[in-house]
Amino acid sequence: MRVHVADHPLITHKLTVLRDKNTPSPQFRALVAELITLLSYEATRNVRTEPMTVDTPVAPYTGVAIAKPVPLVVPILRAGLGMLDGMMAVLPNAEVGFLGMARNEETLEPTTYAERLPQDLSGRQCFVLDPMLATGGSLGAALDFLFQRGASDVTAICILAAPEGLTKLEHDTVGKDVTLVLGALDQKLNEKGYIVPGLGDAGDRLYGSAG
Ligand code: PRP
Ligand code: URA
């Protein structure tokens, strides 16, 4: 697994405001969208392209187009939905699949309550969106779904990660083509499975308590 941790003052600044418990939901949502736009630049570095020729007003020019089959973007509901618009702004021709997952607050195990993905992902590049990589259970399960359906490679974009989740994913994805792009790698998980210092419950801060 390749891991890229962003190192850019704009990202660190936006993350600082995002972490602030006094940042209200409208600003939190706007910051998540801005962060994904910045992180997607790195995450799409290896997006597959094919030659494309156009005529400029002066001469023919051969550049590139996004190769087919087009990439699949998969937000993990709920919190990953907050990253979708920013990603689609960068990859407007991508298709979108959905995975709904919720972590049990006691066992910290994820359950999948919704799945709308193409059956056959042979040869597809996939981009998974989830702001939080905590124990790694949710993202690990999402990667399993995609590789079982034939995805060729998966890039996951997370705003924050804990070392514990990173270690689990590294172990679970041996031999698979996985790239992880992070806004920051935090210190640890606390006893409730929350990332420290983190930003709290990303889904609740985006959309309110699911209660
Ligand atoms: C959060 C987050 C991840 C998951 C991370 O979702 O968005 O999907 O927890 O935790 P893990 O790495 O320990 O699996 P949550 O289950 O709270 O659902 P929500 O997005 O609907 O709030
Ligand atoms: N999910 C969240 O939303 N936040 C955490 O810190 C851990 C899991």
Side-chain angles (χ1 to χ4, degrees), residues 31-43:
L31 282 163
V32 166
E34 289 168 26
L35 278 161
I36 180 69
T37 305
L38 294 170
L39 294 174
S40 65
Y41 186 72
E42 180 61 36

Side-chain angles (χ1 to χ4, degrees), residues 76-79 101-103 130-138 201 203:
I76 302 182
L77 311 183
R78 287 179 301 165
M101 290 184 174
R103 197 171 74 142
D130 192 339
M132 309 302 274
L133 168 56
T135 64
S138 305
D201 187 307

Side-chain angles (χ1 to χ4, degrees), residues 27-68:
Q27 192 184 0
F28 191 94
R29 285 194 292 271
L31 282 163
V32 166
E34 289 168 26
L35 278 161
I36 180 69
T37 305
L38 294 170
L39 294 174
S40 65
Y41 186 72
E42 180 61 36
T44 53
R45 181 175 292 281
N46 293 320
V47 71
R48 277 199 294 271
T49 58
E50 58 195 20
M52 174 182 172
T53 302
V54 296
D55 293 319
T56 81
V58 180
Y61 169 78
T62 300
V64 299
I66 303 298
K68 296 206 169 49

Side-chain angles (χ1 to χ4, degrees), residues 79 103 130-135 160 189-190 192-204:
R103 197 171 74 142
D130 192 339
M132 309 302 274
L133 168 56
T135 64
L160 295 182
L189 292 180
N190 69 12
K192 291 184 171 166
Y194 276 81
I195 298 174
V196 180
L199 53 73
D201 187 307
D204 286 3

